[in-house]
Amino acid sequence: MEQVKKKGIMYDVEDVPKVGHWLTLSIQHLFAMFGATVLVPFLVGLSPAVALISSGLGTLAYLLITKGKIPAYLGSSFAFISPILAAKASSGPGSAMIGCFVAGLVYGLVALIIYKAGLNWLMNILPPVVVGPVIMVIGLSLAPTAVNMAMYINPNTDQQIYSITNITIALITLIVTIIGNIYFKGFFGLIPILIGIAVGYICSILAGIVNFEPIREANWFQVPEFMVPFATYTPTLSWGVIAIMVPVAIVTLSEHIGHQMVLSKVVGRNFLEKPGLHRSIAGDGAGILIGSIIGGPPLTSYGENIGVLTMTRAYSVYIIGGAAVTAIIFGFVGKISAVISSIPSAVMGGISILLFGIIASSGLRMLVDNKIDFDKKRNLMIASVILVLGIGGAFLKLSDEVSLSGMALSAIVGILLNLILPGREKVSGDMFES
């Protein structure tokens, strides 16, 4: 334990926290992922309560498959929003869930290939000069979402109304979180995000922007609206829906690999080798399968929770597991779900500004730690193209239903440039060890 303290780690991956710390730190992870996880089902017309339950079940499955060695939380994936809407419009919600299920099977196939072929080939097509900028794109491409949540009354509608109250509360939340992360000591130093959200929520109540009506109307216990194949609908296989869904797996797989690299740097362990990238991808795929079976959106590892890990240095998988169990419970407790749902977007926007920025900074850190030389023209070309394509929102329309956009396009172009441009150096798999 003394060695852990010298490294500045409060709880290492296998450490079991004290009960009080365990509960509070788990709730902090729950708050960090809650806004985005319930936002996706709101946008695509699925049950937010089911999304909470599927995220908890998916995370527990992930921890089991990765042998409890990777502290990652799985939440609703934004990458699948457009495909789910398109699939529901063309073939109905049941068909959309089957398409998501097939996307989960793609994860299993990729995991099997990595297990059989090894990791070195992957490391050579995804060196730091490619992955670093892609990670920056992951964080920076979400920047408009965080800023819109902070500034506007209705950030997720076409009628966005600027609010000085909202931006003030967002800045208060952000400042309190930063101050807590830098200056708070002991236990309070572990929960700066939770403290920031609490202060922001109190300010929101004082400003009169918290709606308590849904809390009063919610039942203490409620069974969510699950969508189970052969029980609530008859599954049908639509090749059109599969053609919409499967390409999105490229985006989320790239995001997953980027998150694993960030986690490896943050925690100081090479998760790509032990327990192995094939296990983490299989765990992520299992989460997608679970979500699709009960009517939840596909899952992906969450940058918000990686941001929490970075700030708190509490890496225990027991904390992540506690958050997963709490999410499942909350999915059945109407009052609690309503209270958390009542947190204004301004508060979550203030937190997201910091968390999304931390992800982008992690990509920059990867470039610095690996001493990427930008005097070399190939490195400068690769990073520049990835950043502009990814953040700029470029897309490649393959058909009326299928397009390659954002992070997927920037990642693929970056990989191709790395393979084509002269001067490529082989990369070993130990670049993430501390």
Side-chain angles (χ1 to χ4, degrees), residues 248-263:
V248 181
I250 299 174
V251 177
T252 51
L253 277 168
S254 301
E255 182 181 25
H256 176 91
I257 295 171
H259 284 170
Q260 290 304 305
M261 292 178 173
V262 172
L263 271 172

Side-chain angles (χ1 to χ4, degrees), residues 110-341:
V110 173
L112 181 62
I113 294 174
I114 292 175
Y115 175 71
K116 293 294 185 181
L119 187 61
N120 287 338
W121 67 273
L122 183 64
M123 303 310 301
N124 279 291
I125 66 172
L126 289 172
V129 70
V130 172
V131 177
V134 169
I135 293 172
M136 294 174 70
V137 167
I138 293 173
L140 295 177
S141 62
L142 291 171
T145 300
V147 172
N148 288 347
M149 291 171 67
M151 291 196 309
Y152 299 120
I153 295 177
N154 301 308
N156 303 311
T157 64
D158 294 332
Q159 296 179 343
Q160 295 178 336
I161 302 173
Y162 178 82
S163 171
I164 188 65
T165 301
N166 281 34
I167 189 65
T168 301
I169 290 173
L171 290 176
I172 291 173
T173 304
L174 175 61
I175 291 170
V176 170
T177 306
I178 292 173
I179 292 174
N181 185 57
I182 295 176
Y183 294 107
F184 290 176
K185 303 297 181 183
F187 176 66
F188 291 106
L190 292 174
I191 56 170
I193 295 172
L194 198 57
I195 293 173
I197 291 175
V199 172
Y201 192 72
I202 293 172
C203 292
S204 300
I205 294 175
L206 296 176
I209 63 172
V210 177
N211 182 12
F212 292 105
E213 189 64 28
I215 301 175
R216 287 191 291 266
E217 294 178 354
N219 297 320
W220 280 103
F221 176 81
Q222 63 182 20
V223 178
E225 299 177 0
F226 293 108
M227 288 179 55
V228 182
F230 302 107
T232 59
Y233 68 93
T234 302
T236 56
L237 189 65
S238 168
W239 292 109
V241 171
I242 292 175
I244 297 172
M245 291 289 185
V246 170
V248 181
I250 299 174
V251 177
T252 51
L253 277 168
S254 301
E255 182 181 25
H256 176 91
I257 295 171
H259 284 170
Q260 290 304 305
M261 292 178 173
V262 172
L263 271 172
S264 296
K265 292 300 295 183
V266 169
V267 180
R269 302 188 183 192
N270 191 341
F271 292 134
L272 281 77
E273 289 191 350
K274 186 178 181 181
L277 184 61
H278 63 287
R279 282 189 174 273
S280 65
I281 289 178
D284 208 336
I288 295 177
L289 295 178
I290 290 172
S292 63
I293 289 174
I294 65 175
L299 305 176
T300 185
S301 52
Y302 252 32
E304 293 92 328
N305 296 90
I306 298 175
V308 173
L309 292 172
T310 304
M311 293 175 63
T312 63
R313 296 181 179 272
Y315 308 138
S316 172
V317 292
Y318 292 95
I319 295 172
I320 301 295
V325 172
T326 306
I328 295 171
I329 295 172
F330 281 11
F332 289 98
V333 181
K335 291 288 187 185
I336 294 179
S337 296
V339 169
I340 300 178
S341 297

